[in-house]
Amino acid sequence: FFQVIHSVYILEVNGLHNCTKNTTQEEIFDNVAKDKIMEAIDGINCTIFAYGQTGSGKTYSIFGGDSYKERGLIPRAVGLVFSQIKTRQKSQASFKFTCRISFTEIYKENIYDLLDKDSRALPMEEWPLVQLMEGDSVGVVLSVGILSCQSSI
């Protein structure tokens, strides 16, 4: 996901999207993330991964700009998740949910927990690293903050 300066292609599992400097944050969200967020709400694991060189606009695309209209993928995704929860609770009396969110950044081959409240005032180089251990078949991430909420049971 990139802030579009000239013409950028956003590659995702279902195809290639051509974006220009006139592509809006809303169009990027609708074309790249919205379907994945809806799948996550239905129980399918989802990852949205921003990759690119320094200055390519990853932060802008993920977080957004200074106005509501320029909000990025994360604020739009969180808004969609909670609007769907509200809609489903109204239409299905038995609807129950648990929502867990982790938020990490990989920078220079180190993984940082962006939900770690104690590190926010420090330069990133001083943040504690997320521990990653490999198992026999999969990697296991340790020490990552997870925000969780659920419906009353």
Side-chain angles (χ1 to χ4, degrees):
F1 312 103
F2 304 94
Q3 176 183 11
V4 181
I5 297 169
H6 297 291
S7 182
V8 171
Y9 291 93
I10 299 174
L11 180 63
E12 57 129 341
V13 175
N14 296 326
L16 201 59
H17 297 284
N18 184 17
C19 299
T20 69
K21 65 181 179 181
N22 297 323
T23 303
T24 65
Q25 291 279 53
E26 182 176 16
E27 290 170 325
I28 290 173
F29 178 76
D30 288 346
N31 288 321
V32 175
K34 190 173 186 176
D35 289 343
K36 298 299 172 211
I37 302 302
M38 294 301 292
E39 289 173 2
I41 293 168
D42 290 330
I44 299 170
N45 288 334
C46 173
T47 299
I48 298 174
F49 189 84
Y51 178 82
Q53 67 188 32
T54 300
S56 63
K58 299 175 300 294
T59 300
Y60 176 80
S61 294
I62 294 294
F63 292 108
D66 295 330
S67 70
Y68 181 79
K69 184 178 178 180
E70 291 180 2
R71 68 195 187 284
L73 293 175
I74 289 173
R76 290 173 191 275
V78 170
L80 179 59
V81 166
F82 285 100
S83 72
Q84 282 295 308
I85 287 171
K86 186 176 182 179
T87 298
R88 292 175 189 209
Q89 285 178 321
K90 285 181 180 179
S91 66
Q92 303 168 27
S94 62
F95 179 76
K96 302 284 186 225
F97 72 91
T98 300
C99 180
R100 292 185 186 98
I101 299 171
S102 62
F103 188 25
T104 59
E105 178 172 343
I106 301 171
Y107 179 70
K108 294 186 179 178
E109 298 183 22
N110 293 314
I111 305 171
Y112 298 95
D113 179 2
L114 298 180
L115 295 177
D116 182 359
K117 294 177 187 174
D118 298 330
S119 299
R120 290 183 184 157
L122 301 172
M124 184 171 273
E125 294 78 23
E126 296 179 24
W127 288 20
L129 300 177
V130 171
Q131 297 176 6
L132 180 65
M133 300 177 67
E134 286 189 51
D136 291 334
S137 60
V138 296
V140 178
V141 178
L142 304 173
S143 73
V144 173
I146 297 177
L147 295 181
S148 182
C149 64
Q150 64 185 34
S151 58
S152 57
I153 298 173

